[in-house]
Amino acid sequence: MTSSYQQQLDAKVERISAQFAEYQPPALEVFESPEQYYRMRAEFRIWHTEDDLFYAMFERDENNNKKVIRIDEFPVADRSINALMPLLLAALKAEPILSNRLFEAHFLATLKGEMLVSLVYRCPLTAEWEAAAKAISEQLNIKIFGRSRGQKVILTDDYVVEELTVFDRKYQYKQIESSFTQPNAQVCQKMLEWACNAAQQSDKDLLELYCGNGNFTLPLSTCFRRVLATELAKSSVYAAEWNIQQNGIDNIQVARLSAEEFTQAYNGERVFRRLQEAKIDISTYDFDTVFVDPPRAGIDDETLKLLQRFERIIYISCNPDTLHDNLKQLSQTHKITKFALFDQFPYTHHVESGVLLEKR
């Protein structure tokens, strides 16, 4: 397994180095993943036979037909998920009301040791289901969340609290069941440290677009006078504000705006009541750095123009193709001074990368 991991990582390094060579970046910094037990999320179909049920995934054969693969252990997922899988399955089998028409099981684990399991059904969830689910929740010391069409049943919480260590400080993060979180927590910690090293220390302010639940926001706040972070999804804004308060950080404000809306506000093209209600006055900020971690589609043209006005851009990307495309515009005004590959998704073609761009 070691040789195959190293081979796939070497192939990614070669591919990314070649893809970005035209921008003349510095040497690529490579951050490896653990070879096994690295993923904090796992989702399985529950496959029913006449006298049994089991976790399942699918793969396609040479004729593109889907084939059911029984999953008894899953070394991709965190050890805590692997330990829980047979215990949970046995408990579900022992209670017909819990196994009947059960469609999927989703696991969300944390380095801190908390676990949330979402059970997805193709039938309504009753009071009897709730009582049985609560019993196994207590028996297995996990949080359980039930879903069916038009129905959500939260027994205790619909979130876990993760603890990530960045240099010598620990940060607490609320991770909500249906919201995005970085799946590889150990590589995520390396990404956070890399971003802080790229930021260095500034006596000015940081703008962050697409902040999510504040994953990067919290540690980056130690590098700047103040941080203004933007995020559109309400659940992520709520989690980010909880995380800021929970960690006792007092120099971050979160604005519920998309990147496009922030650009309009920053340029004075629109006035947003959401900014007024949050008591955010953009004109009081003195930004020298912008941090972006956009979705796979990358950054729109107007936001790219906004980024070009800053001295420094820290760009984390989950899609090297859109990063490469965005750099066509950004490289007209900025030069890559740090370049990193984070192996968030071992044994897949997916790559997480990072660049620090500084004004020419």
Side-chain angles (χ1 to χ4, degrees), residues 47-301:
W47 198 257
H48 297 256
T49 63
E50 284 187 13
D51 56 357
D52 196 13
L53 56 92
F54 52 84
Y55 302 110
M57 287 183 164
F58 299 95
E59 68 177 19
R60 294 190 178 275
D61 61 22
E62 61 276 6
N63 298 318
N64 206 33
N65 297 315
K66 280 207 306 191
K67 179 182 174 185
V68 178
I69 305 296
R70 179 180 178 129
I71 306 293
D72 293 316
E73 56 182 6
F74 194 54
V76 167
D78 188 68
R79 289 181 188 277
S80 63
I81 294 176
N82 278 275
L84 177 61
M85 286 168 61
L87 302 177
L88 177 65
L89 196 63
L92 294 171
K93 288 179 180 181
E95 283 285 352
I97 197 166
L98 295 178
S99 58
N100 180 47
R101 306 209 64 191
L102 175 60
F103 179 59
E104 292 180 341
H106 302 174
F107 296 80
L108 175 58
T110 67
L111 296 176
K112 191 180 180 185
E114 294 191 12
M115 177 77 74
L116 174 65
V117 176
S118 306
L119 299 176
V120 183
Y121 288 83
R122 284 181 157 165
C123 64
L125 303 179
T126 63
E128 290 78 14
W129 177 89
E130 194 168 339
K134 192 169 185 181
I136 68 163
S137 169
E138 292 169 356
Q139 171 195 336
L140 298 175
N141 191 28
I142 60 174
K143 298 178 179 182
I144 290 183
F145 179 99
R147 279 187 182 277
S148 69
R149 185 183 294 275
Q151 192 179 15
K152 295 199 311 187
V153 178
I154 304 169
L155 299 181
T156 51
D157 302 310
D158 63 346
Y159 65 87
V160 288
V161 176
E162 177 61 289
E163 185 175 86
L164 300 178
T165 302
V166 184
F167 302 118
D168 57 353
R169 180 168 175 177
K170 297 182 185 299
Y171 294 90
Q172 309 285 318
Y173 291 90
K174 176 178 280 191
Q175 298 186 339
I176 299 172
E177 178 259 350
S178 58
S179 296
F180 172 79
T181 54
Q182 296 284 354
N184 190 326
Q186 295 182 65
V187 173
C188 180
Q189 292 178 143
K190 297 177 182 181
M191 292 169 64
L192 298 178
E193 291 187 351
W194 181 88
C196 289
N197 284 330
Q200 300 178 341
Q201 289 293 321
S202 171
D203 58 2
K204 293 189 176 182
D205 302 326
L206 172 71
L207 170 64
E208 180 181 1
L209 306 178
Y210 323 96
C211 77
N213 72 346
N215 182 52
F216 286 94
T217 322
L218 304 186
L220 282 171
S221 70
T222 64
C223 304
F224 295 89
R225 187 184 65 152
R226 290 197 296 163
V227 178
L228 176 59
T230 74
E231 170 59 49
L232 187 59
K234 281 185 179 180
S235 62
S236 294
V237 170
Y238 161 74
E241 290 175 338
W242 187 96
N243 294 338
I244 293 164
Q245 184 176 4
Q246 186 73 12
N247 288 278
I249 298 172
D250 61 6
N251 67 335
I252 301 172
Q253 285 186 295
V254 181
R256 194 171 71 79
L257 297 173
S258 68
E260 294 87 343
E261 288 172 333
F262 177 83
T263 301
Q264 293 169 344
Y266 193 69
N267 291 336
E269 296 166 4
R270 281 182 66 186
V271 175
F272 288 89
R273 185 180 298 170
R274 280 169 275 165
L275 288 176
Q276 297 169 342
E277 290 171 348
K279 297 183 171 57
I280 294 172
D281 182 354
I282 294 174
S283 67
T284 65
Y285 282 86
D286 182 16
F287 300 116
D288 69 347
T289 305
V290 59
F291 177 89
V292 289
D293 182 10
R296 290 190 61 78
I299 301 174
D300 66 281
D301 289 342

Side-chain angles (χ1 to χ4, degrees), residues 295-315:
R296 290 190 61 78
I299 301 174
D300 66 281
D301 289 342
E302 289 305 310
T303 304
L304 287 173
K305 290 176 187 173
L306 173 71
L307 300 191
Q308 289 180 288
R309 292 157 64 177
F310 293 86
E311 286 296 316
R312 305 163 82 240
I313 305 163
I314 305 171
Y315 189 144

